[in-house]
Amino acid sequence: MSGLWEPIFGRSTIAATTSDRAWVIAICDAEAALGTACAESGLLDAASAQRITDACRQVAETADPAELGRHAAADGNPVIPLVRAIRSVVGATSAPSVHLGATSQDILDTAAMLVVRRALPVILESMNAAGEACAMLAREHRDTVMIGRTLLQQAVPTTFGAVAAGWGEGLDRTTLGLRAALAGLAVQLGGAAGTLGGWHPHGPAVRAAFAAELGLVDPGTVWHTERSRIAELGSALGATCGVVGKIATDVVLLAQTELGEVREAASGGSSTMAHKHNPIAAVTARAGAAQAPGVFATLLAAMPAELQRAAGPWHAEWPALTALLDTTGGCADRLATSLAGLEVDTGAMARNVPRDNIDVGHAGDLVDHYLAGRS
Amino acid sequence: MSGLWEPIFGRSTIAATTSDRAWVIAICDAEAALGTACAESGLLDAASAQRITDACRQVAETADPAELGRHAAADGNPVIPLVRAIRSVVGATSAPSVHLGATSQDILDTAAMLVVRRALPVILESMNAAGEACAMLAREHRDTVMIGRTLLQQAVPTTFGAVAAGWGEGLDRTTLGLRAALAGLAVQLGGAAGTLGGWHPHGPAVRAAFAAELGLVDPGTVWHTERSRIAELGSALGATCGVVGKIATDVVLLAQTELGEVREAASGGSSTMAHKHNPIAAVTARAGAAQAPGVFATLLAAMPAELQRAAGPWHAEWPALTALLDTTGGCADRLATSLAGLEVDTGAMARNVPRDNIDVGHAGDLVDHYLAGRS
Amino acid sequence: MSGLWEPIFGRSTIAATTSDRAWVIAICDAEAALGTACAESGLLDAASAQRITDACRQVAETADPAELGRHAAADGNPVIPLVRAIRSVVGATSAPSVHLGATSQDILDTAAMLVVRRALPVILESMNAAGEACAMLAREHRDTVMIGRTLLQQAVPTTFGAVAAGWGEGLDRTTLGLRAALAGLAVQLGGAAGTLGGWHPHGPAVRAAFAAELGLVDPGTVWHTERSRIAELGSALGATCGVVGKIATDVVLLAQTELGEVREAASGGSSTMAHKHNPIAAVTARAGAAQAPGVFATLLAAMPAELQRAAGPWHAEWPALTALLDTTGGCADRLATSLAGLEVDTGAMARNVPRDNIDVGHAGDLVDHYLAGRS
Amino acid sequence: MSGLWEPIFGRSTIAATTSDRAWVIAICDAEAALGTACAESGLLDAASAQRITDACRQVAETADPAELGRHAAADGNPVIPLVRAIRSVVGATSAPSVHLGATSQDILDTAAMLVVRRALPVILESMNAAGEACAMLAREHRDTVMIGRTLLQQAVPTTFGAVAAGWGEGLDRTTLGLRAALAGLAVQLGGAAGTLGGWHPHGPAVRAAFAAELGLVDPGTVWHTERSRIAELGSALGATCGVVGKIATDVVLLAQTELGEVREAASGGSSTMAHKHNPIAAVTARAGAAQAPGVFATLLAAMPAELQRAAGPWHAEWPALTALLDTTGGCADRLATSLAGLEVDTGAMARNVPRDNIDVGHAGDLVDHYLAGRS
């Protein structure tokens, strides 16, 4: 996915948080924080730590990702050439103090959590916009009767407010999951074989300081090959995509010419048919959401990390996690676009309801319950 | 999966909780609880509710699943023939009181949660056994030095205690997830289009009573087409399989002839080679765990449920959820078998550690931290 | 999946070909054929081979799968207890001649191909029925104008004949794939480490005779850990499910109340709404088809079989392959039911076409091309 | 995936064939070929066709993908802004002749096949290199005895030649599949609803000329919503990744310190441990191969395209197909690197073979059969 495709899938904003530059910055941030943490435990002097921090900032801004990539291939990860670059900036004396005690995975896992921490707010912003739109629709259409459809057959009436409330509940629920994931992001620090040997006897203190410096959680242990944290994060993203996909599917269905109950404010055109009102934001939201199950399965399948560092499964997480963040952010953005100013044709809704049955039971209560939960 | 295969994959016990009979019982339990809940709100008299309960119990014990299945095909779910059977037992007068106000999905979703509630303890029992085994190994081998291996290359030393602690942390973490899933299992009750119209104005009260009667959570809303609950449940199961797969992989690797650092107490034989000591429990645990990503992807992909009842995605959940429960329970059971009495060859471990480097850093602290977290 | 669920998902017939008994028979068939093949190369005398064949037939009919399963767990596959059972029937003298030179995987892989060979015709029968229905619809409605719908918006006209032709082409194309898979099913025979050492110098001859005896292909090599054959088979099944899912989705969409252009002959009812005409066969076909991507992903992910016998991935194929066969056969069966006697409401189709545009281009030619390709 | 990551996963070369520019060129090529094809049937005059071709060439070289992307979002695909750009270059008179009769999907599906046609040779080149390496290893080590390992336990001897032959057979088999996919790539041309109405009565002739012009197959029909071709293509790529993953896994296992039977010529280092010889090419090949099952599942799940143009599933193919091409090309490249000059430690192999058993059966014959099949 790049410039030609990103806007179609709503990824322009999220992509900036998962870009090469974003990763380079995150890795440099982690190395800088490690230096500071080591200094706090007396493993480094403060001046060295400061030099490392300065060098990291400089490298973060100036390093060429493509050149790093070329040097990264030999060892299989981008930390090694970045450490080299940072060391070259700090100079020979302080060079050994860079990356002190750490292994590439410590830095890359931690950098990944920083990337996630910067990507999740973008996703949450779209989710919030979509959620606000649902709340507005639910409020406005609390009593707009429409036909309920089960197995895509007309069934008995409900209200569009209740439908929008149901959409919103899914968004709110998965938003909570994303927030919990955000709050739980933890550093990884263990050294070559996960024993924190390089900082002994200050290992736990260094890890705590490392976490504090970065504003991440101190996990109290190592998780280099215990990847349930990645699975949990992926679950929150995957469920988000599922909810987005459900709402987008409903928009596409209700926007069908024959139903005509909703219409996107900025419906797409067609290269051949000027009269069409394609719900293109919802269509592309569905397409984005549909990437999640497969990509998340890749993350789950990568959990069995061999012994003290996975010989492939760890590396497999990088493209999968990036793709999952991108597609979640993208489909949430497209959904927000679809729902913003969604035009509701109450006349069409009324026409599809049988005259002799407008009993909508507790539909209003469902709306009230949903709205109360948000306030 | 049936009798020939279940024991190989450790599914004998879990399969009893997801069997046809288990589903029939769960559906009957839900119908009985609905009757009772309706009676509490005055929608039914107590005698009818009691007759329904009695009929449900009778049908649960005597109904022939295969015959139900044959009658279920026409309408696409097993609730309809079961309701017919229950109505036939309660007699013509009370028949209309059976399934009062409900739609098939209310009963089937709720029954699914009952099935899960009965299956999760089986999984948790295996997880607990595996966790106990890890704790014992961590305690016993707190200071047993072994070589750490990264990318399957010998790296620097760690201890087997730290390795076992890492295994155990994964088990404990996903066990927490399973317990949270268990505690959050909720009834679904909404009626034909999800408005609780059939119980108006007592809908919320009936739902609350229904939940109380079954010992499930009252969700405060409907979730017939908001399937994030299923995704969350699936995530807990999927992450569990990932952790199981990691540990089983490590056992298989450490049991390699050339490493010989662990051996399963009851290693499998071979049809051709009597001298082999196959870590067959770990091997089949891996195979079971490997089913999870794909099956969970199916659940995630089924989240976009169309409008007021999904025209396929809902039905797609049934085999996938059953398969996910079975494979999780099975692989956890096989892992527990693998770890129970795992023989640790400390001599082999010692031989693989370079003499000049036995610095294991905070390995002992990691064990202590793990064990402290369990007590 | 068992008696309660199989009919709902159309699996009753296919399930008989993948049942425990079917596997026991297939394993016994493979052992019998091996005996015969060894006799042809002079490794066994004819009388022993005949005794083995007789014993295999007896065991195939009488062995209790559940008991075999219990004994299979220790070694991780059902071949070992079955060989024991066969040996016990042939008696001590001929016992060593049973399973001569083979490893469990030889027998189980070959048995799997036999299971597939017996399952594929069931699938093909459903595909054929569905294909015939499409051909009839295409022929009958060659010139029935209907509106084409793109992104679920009314676009420009087409004919229902062209739509049915498109459905049929998908069925025919994947049917070809299934037939190619059927024709390519090969025995696996390699012995303990895949060198055919146990039959040396007659290995290739034994393999050829083994294949001829079973009516399978002689692969000319071993494929115990080269699993592209399984992937190809899975691809044929997965693509079949995709095509079934597409057609079933179209039926569900065209059957929507507001479109009303098709209706299943035996539409399903509802537990609450008598007036509904649920296209339940198409709905359950969709649900069955939706299992395929995840399950097939499991098969693909299991391809990296370690060294000379996979320590988990091979075992992971068994439930996944069975599930893929079952779900393919089931969804094809449900689709055939959906299409058989599908009621086409030409009046509704006409009403949805704009009066000023009934240009259907080459729609008729597309029908003719499709029908010509079938004759 | 971009510059920082591509080299790590071996994607630098393949990425050029799936880049934004590659897509822009492919779309322009398709539009140019359509103009020419229309001219051949007399629907356009030759001068207009030439002007279109010239304009397409100019736009292909100069259009800014990022700007196109921004304009593509409104309508959901990049064809619409590109057609606009081409029309603006040809001038007002010929503008209506651009994209004559076509719908965006015709052009994008055809462009996708062009992208695939340019990507597959890159993949095939890596597969060929890997295959050559296997053939060389098989030839050189035809009689190098090594221990066979089943379930990762030492079993009985085989030869490294036989192992390499098995690897090579998988490569050759999937190479055949890739070549068949390449040979079968077909244009899609149907117009707005798939009836070829815009070219009537020359539709089939235009399609044939369109295919001939592009060097793609004329499918004889439309496949806009019959996606088995995409599934077949995906299957060929997925199986390729599976085979790559198997060989890379074997390399990683045989390179373990304790086995030491192979070593990559350019083993990777470690950020902490200078003594390590990480088989980093194989490790990253495994990681790349591990992306395939999930991504391919996405393609399979997208097969059920709604009616005459999918409202999401079609769009879902674009990132999934691109990702599948990239990861296949990348992992094949990494495998070729891993195998090129793979160092085989015959001494280590000899040490791991029991002295009393060096019977390798038909191992040599397997090598000969493999080599004969390649010549």
Side-chain angles (χ1 to χ4, degrees):
Chain A
M1 287 287 110
S2 43
L4 181 64
W5 300 102
E6 280 166 358
I8 295 173
F9 292 102
R11 300 185 180 184
S12 302
T13 310
I14 189 84
T17 70
T18 62
S19 67
D20 281 359
R21 179 62 57 199
W23 275 96
V24 168
I25 292 172
I27 292 170
C28 288
D29 286 352
E31 292 287 358
L34 177 63
T36 305
C38 285
E40 287 183 24
S41 286
L43 296 169
L44 280 186
D45 61 286
S48 289
Q50 187 58 51
R51 268 194 301 277
I52 292 172
T53 296
D54 294 344
C56 286
R57 192 164 310 140
Q58 180 183 328
V59 170
E61 284 168 13
T62 59
D64 174 14
E67 196 192 330
L68 288 168
R70 280 190 295 276
H71 290 115
D75 300 313
N77 75 66
V79 172
I80 294 177
L82 264 169
V83 166
R84 218 145 42 205
I86 298 165
R87 282 183 173 149
S88 133
V89 171
V90 294
T93 316
S94 291
S97 305
V98 175
H99 193 66
L100 188 73
T103 191
S104 297
Q105 186 171 6
D106 294 334
I107 299 302
L108 203 53
D109 278 353
T110 300
M113 296 305 101
L114 290 174
V115 165
V116 172
R117 197 183 61 190
R118 288 153 190 176
L120 283 181
V122 175
I123 300 174
L124 283 165
E125 197 169 337
S126 295
M127 291 294 281
N128 189 47
E132 283 299 311
C134 283
M136 207 161 70
L137 289 168
R139 203 177 295 116
E140 189 174 340
H141 295 284
R142 183 187 185 279
D143 302 310
T144 302
V145 181
M146 71 182 290
I147 192 70
R149 294 175 179 91
T150 58
L151 311 191
L152 293 186
Q153 296 289 302
Q154 289 191 1
V156 298
T158 182
T159 63
F160 184 59
V163 169
W167 294 350
E169 284 173 339
L171 292 169
D172 290 353
R173 204 175 159 90
T174 46
T175 293
L176 278 182
L178 292 170
R179 283 203 189 119
L182 182 55
L185 296 171
V187 296
Q188 155 60 21
L189 200 70
T195 63
L196 299 100
W199 310 283
H200 196 262
H202 303 292
V206 171
R207 190 183 57 219
F210 183 54
E213 185 70 18
L214 292 168
L216 295 172
V217 169
D218 175 358
T221 186
V222 290
W223 52 277
H224 49 144
T225 57
E226 198 288 89
R227 309 304 280 179
S228 60
R229 289 171 179 277
I230 302 293
E232 289 161 18
L233 176 58
S235 296
L237 295 165
T240 298
C241 289
V243 164
V244 167
K246 186 274 186 285
I247 303 171
T249 297
D250 281 4
V251 169
V252 168
L253 290 170
L254 294 175
Q256 287 176 100
T257 312
E258 293 83 358
L259 280 70
E261 300 186 353
V262 305
R263 180 192 290 193
E264 288 190 356
S267 302
S270 149
S271 69
T272 44
M273 295 162 284
H275 66 279
K276 287 189 66 187
H277 296 284
N278 294 326
I280 203 65
V283 162
T284 47
R286 291 184 84 203
Q291 310 297 315
V295 176
F296 180 43
T298 304
L299 281 180
L300 268 192
M303 284 185 69
E306 297 94 348
L307 299 173
Q308 278 67 58
R309 177 136 44 259
W314 172 47
H315 306 70
E317 288 177 4
W318 311 336
L321 182 58
T322 301
L324 189 51
L325 287 168
D326 283 352
T327 211
T328 306
C331 72
D333 175 87
R334 292 305 278 158
L335 182 68
T337 298
S338 176
L339 294 180
L342 188 75
E343 296 167 13
V344 181
D345 188 335
T346 55
M349 287 181 175
R351 273 193 297 280
N352 283 324
V353 176
R355 291 177 171 241
D356 59 345
N357 179 359
I358 54 161
D359 176 5
V360 296
H362 289 279
D365 297 333
L366 288 168
V367 173
D368 297 343
H369 178 267
Y370 160 61
L371 293 173
R374 290 180 61 82
S375 61
Chain B
M1 285 288 109
S2 44
L4 181 64
W5 301 101
E6 280 166 358
I8 295 173
F9 291 102
R11 298 185 182 184
S12 302
T13 310
I14 190 82
T17 70
T18 62
S19 67
D20 281 358
R21 178 62 59 198
W23 275 96
V24 168
I25 291 171
I27 292 171
C28 289
D29 286 352
E31 291 287 359
L34 177 63
T36 305
C38 287
E40 287 183 24
S41 286
L43 296 168
L44 279 186
D45 62 286
S48 288
Q50 188 57 49
R51 267 194 301 277
I52 293 171
T53 298
D54 294 344
C56 287
R57 192 164 309 139
Q58 181 184 328
V59 170
E61 284 167 13
T62 59
D64 173 14
E67 196 192 331
L68 289 168
R70 280 190 295 275
H71 290 113
D75 300 313
N77 74 65
V79 172
I80 294 178
L82 264 169
V83 167
R84 220 150 34 211
I86 298 165
R87 281 184 172 148
S88 132
V89 171
V90 293
T93 316
S94 292
S97 305
V98 175
H99 195 64
L100 188 70
T103 191
S104 297
Q105 186 172 4
D106 293 334
I107 298 303
L108 204 52
D109 278 353
T110 301
M113 297 305 101
L114 291 175
V115 165
V116 171
R117 196 183 61 191
R118 290 156 188 173
L120 283 181
V122 174
I123 300 173
L124 283 165
E125 196 168 339
S126 296
M127 291 293 281
N128 190 49
E132 283 298 312
C134 283
M136 207 160 70
L137 290 167
R139 203 176 296 116
E140 189 173 341
H141 295 283
R142 183 186 184 282
D143 302 310
T144 302
V145 181
M146 70 183 289
I147 192 70
R149 295 174 179 94
T150 60
L151 312 191
L152 295 185
Q153 296 290 303
Q154 290 191 2
V156 297
T158 181
T159 63
F160 185 60
V163 170
W167 294 350
E169 284 173 339
L171 292 170
D172 290 354
R173 206 175 157 87
T174 47
T175 292
L176 277 182
L178 293 171
R179 283 205 188 119
L182 182 56
L185 296 172
V187 294
Q188 155 60 20
L189 199 69
T195 63
L196 299 100
W199 309 284
H200 196 263
H202 303 293
V206 170
R207 190 184 56 218
F210 183 53
E213 185 72 16
L214 292 168
L216 295 172
V217 169
D218 175 358
T221 186
V222 289
W223 52 277
H224 49 145
T225 57
E226 199 289 270
R227 310 304 281 179
S228 60
R229 289 171 180 277
I230 302 293
E232 289 162 18
L233 177 58
S235 297
L237 295 165
T240 298
C241 289
V243 164
V244 167
K246 186 273 186 287
I247 303 170
T249 297
D250 282 3
V251 169
V252 168
L253 290 169
L254 295 175
Q256 288 175 99
T257 311
E258 293 83 359
L259 280 68
E261 300 186 354
V262 306
R263 180 192 290 194
E264 288 190 355
S267 302
S270 150
S271 68
T272 43
M273 296 163 283
H275 67 279
K276 287 188 65 186
H277 296 284
N278 294 325
I280 203 65
V283 162
T284 47
R286 291 183 85 204
Q291 310 296 314
V295 176
F296 181 42
T298 304
L299 281 179
L300 267 192
M303 283 185 71
E306 296 94 349
L307 299 174
Q308 279 65 59
R309 176 132 48 256
W314 172 46
H315 305 72
E317 289 177 4
W318 311 336
L321 182 57
T322 301
L324 189 51
L325 288 168
D326 284 351
T327 210
T328 308
C331 72
D333 175 86
R334 292 305 278 160
L335 182 69
T337 297
S338 175
L339 295 180
L342 189 76
E343 297 167 13
V344 180
D345 187 335
T346 55
M349 287 182 177
R351 274 192 299 278
N352 284 323
V353 176
R355 288 176 174 246
D356 59 346
N357 180 358
I358 55 161
D359 177 4
V360 296
H362 290 278
D365 298 331
L366 288 167
V367 172
D368 297 342
H369 177 267
Y370 160 62
L371 292 173
R374 291 181 59 84
S375 60
Chain C
M1 285 289 110
S2 42
L4 181 63
W5 301 101
E6 281 167 356
I8 295 173
F9 291 102
R11 300 186 181 182
S12 302
T13 310
I14 189 81
T17 70
T18 62
S19 67
D20 281 358
R21 178 61 58 195
W23 275 96
V24 168
I25 291 172
I27 292 170
C28 289
D29 286 351
E31 292 287 359
L34 178 62
T36 304
C38 287
E40 288 183 22
S41 287
L43 297 168
L44 278 187
D45 61 286
S48 288
Q50 187 58 49
R51 267 195 301 278
I52 292 172
T53 296
D54 294 344
C56 287
R57 191 163 310 139
Q58 179 183 328
V59 170
E61 283 168 13
T62 59
D64 174 15
E67 197 192 331
L68 288 168
R70 281 190 295 277
H71 290 113
D75 300 312
N77 74 65
V79 172
I80 295 177
L82 263 169
V83 167
R84 216 147 41 207
I86 298 165
R87 283 183 171 147
S88 131
V89 171
V90 295
T93 315
S94 293
S97 304
V98 175
H99 194 65
L100 187 73
T103 189
S104 296
Q105 186 171 6
D106 293 334
I107 298 302
L108 204 52
D109 278 354
T110 301
M113 296 305 101
L114 291 174
V115 165
V116 171
R117 197 182 61 190
R118 288 153 190 176
L120 282 181
V122 174
I123 300 175
L124 283 166
E125 196 169 342
S126 295
M127 291 294 281
N128 190 47
E132 284 297 312
C134 283
M136 205 161 71
L137 290 168
R139 204 176 295 119
E140 188 173 342
H141 295 284
R142 184 186 183 282
D143 302 310
T144 302
V145 181
M146 71 182 289
I147 191 71
R149 294 174 178 94
T150 58
L151 311 191
L152 293 187
Q153 297 289 302
Q154 290 191 1
V156 297
T158 183
T159 63
F160 185 59
V163 170
W167 294 351
E169 284 173 339
L171 293 170
D172 289 353
R173 207 175 157 87
T174 46
T175 292
L176 277 183
L178 293 170
R179 284 206 188 118
L182 182 55
L185 296 172
V187 296
Q188 155 59 22
L189 199 71
T195 63
L196 299 100
W199 310 284
H200 196 264
H202 304 292
V206 170
R207 190 184 57 219
F210 183 52
E213 184 72 17
L214 291 168
L216 295 173
V217 169
D218 175 358
T221 185
V222 290
W223 53 276
H224 51 144
T225 59
E226 199 287 90
R227 309 305 278 179
S228 60
R229 288 169 180 278
I230 302 292
E232 288 162 18
L233 177 59
S235 296
L237 295 165
T240 298
C241 289
V243 164
V244 167
K246 186 276 186 285
I247 303 171
T249 296
D250 281 3
V251 169
V252 167
L253 290 170
L254 295 175
Q256 287 177 99
T257 310
E258 293 83 359
L259 280 68
E261 300 186 354
V262 305
R263 181 193 289 194
E264 288 190 354
S267 303
S270 148
S271 69
T272 44
M273 294 163 285
H275 66 282
K276 289 189 64 188
H277 296 283
N278 294 326
I280 203 66
V283 162
T284 47
R286 291 184 85 202
Q291 311 297 313
V295 176
F296 180 43
T298 304
L299 281 180
L300 268 191
M303 282 185 70
E306 296 93 350
L307 299 174
Q308 279 65 57
R309 177 134 45 260
W314 171 48
H315 305 70
E317 288 177 2
W318 311 335
L321 182 58
T322 301
L324 188 51
L325 287 168
D326 283 352
T327 210
T328 307
C331 73
D333 175 86
R334 292 306 277 159
L335 182 68
T337 298
S338 175
L339 294 180
L342 188 76
E343 297 168 13
V344 181
D345 188 335
T346 56
M349 287 182 176
R351 273 193 298 280
N352 283 325
V353 177
R355 290 177 173 242
D356 59 347
N357 179 359
I358 54 161
D359 176 5
V360 296
H362 289 280
D365 298 332
L366 289 166
V367 172
D368 297 343
H369 178 268
Y370 160 60
L371 292 174
R374 290 180 61 82
S375 59
Chain D
M1 285 289 110
S2 43
L4 182 63
W5 301 101
E6 280 166 359
I8 295 173
F9 291 102
R11 299 186 182 184
S12 302
T13 309
I14 188 82
T17 70
T18 62
S19 68
D20 281 358
R21 178 60 60 198
W23 274 95
V24 168
I25 291 172
I27 291 171
C28 289
D29 286 352
E31 291 287 358
L34 177 62
T36 305
C38 287
E40 288 185 22
S41 287
L43 296 169
L44 278 187
D45 60 287
S48 288
Q50 187 58 50
R51 269 194 299 277
I52 292 172
T53 297
D54 294 344
C56 286
R57 192 165 308 141
Q58 181 183 328
V59 170
E61 284 167 12
T62 60
D64 174 14
E67 197 192 331
L68 288 169
R70 280 191 295 277
H71 290 114
D75 300 312
N77 75 65
V79 172
I80 294 178
L82 264 168
V83 167
R84 220 147 37 207
I86 298 165
R87 283 184 171 148
S88 132
V89 171
V90 293
T93 315
S94 293
S97 304
V98 175
H99 195 63
L100 187 73
T103 191
S104 297
Q105 186 171 5
D106 293 334
I107 299 303
L108 204 52
D109 278 354
T110 301
M113 295 306 99
L114 291 173
V115 165
V116 171
R117 197 184 59 191
R118 289 153 191 177
L120 283 181
V122 174
I123 301 174
L124 284 165
E125 197 169 339
S126 295
M127 291 294 282
N128 189 47
E132 283 298 311
C134 283
M136 205 161 71
L137 290 168
R139 204 177 295 117
E140 188 173 342
H141 295 284
R142 184 187 184 281
D143 303 310
T144 303
V145 181
M146 70 181 290
I147 191 72
R149 295 174 177 94
T150 58
L151 311 190
L152 294 186
Q153 297 290 304
Q154 290 191 0
V156 297
T158 181
T159 63
F160 184 58
V163 169
W167 294 351
E169 284 173 340
L171 293 169
D172 289 353
R173 204 175 160 87
T174 48
T175 292
L176 277 183
L178 292 171
R179 284 204 188 120
L182 182 55
L185 296 173
V187 295
Q188 154 60 22
L189 199 70
T195 63
L196 300 100
W199 309 284
H200 196 261
H202 304 292
V206 171
R207 191 184 56 220
F210 183 54
E213 186 70 17
L214 291 167
L216 294 173
V217 169
D218 175 358
T221 185
V222 290
W223 52 277
H224 51 144
T225 57
E226 199 287 272
R227 310 305 280 179
S228 59
R229 288 169 181 278
I230 303 293
E232 288 161 18
L233 176 58
S235 296
L237 295 164
T240 298
C241 290
V243 164
V244 167
K246 185 275 185 287
I247 303 170
T249 297
D250 281 4
V251 169
V252 168
L253 290 170
L254 294 175
Q256 289 177 97
T257 311
E258 293 82 0
L259 280 69
E261 300 186 354
V262 305
R263 180 192 290 196
E264 288 190 355
S267 302
S270 151
S271 70
T272 43
M273 295 163 283
H275 66 280
K276 288 189 64 186
H277 296 283
N278 294 325
I280 203 66
V283 162
T284 47
R286 291 184 85 203
Q291 311 296 314
V295 176
F296 180 42
T298 304
L299 281 180
L300 267 192
M303 283 185 70
E306 297 93 350
L307 300 173
Q308 279 66 57
R309 177 131 50 256
W314 173 46
H315 306 71
E317 288 176 5
W318 310 335
L321 182 58
T322 302
L324 189 52
L325 287 168
D326 283 352
T327 211
T328 307
C331 72
D333 175 87
R334 294 305 278 159
L335 181 69
T337 298
S338 176
L339 295 180
L342 188 76
E343 297 168 11
V344 180
D345 188 334
T346 55
M349 286 182 178
R351 273 193 298 280
N352 283 323
V353 176
R355 292 176 171 243
D356 58 347
N357 178 1
I358 54 160
D359 175 5
V360 296
H362 290 278
D365 299 331
L366 289 167
V367 172
D368 298 342
H369 177 267
Y370 160 62
L371 293 173
R374 291 180 61 81
S375 60

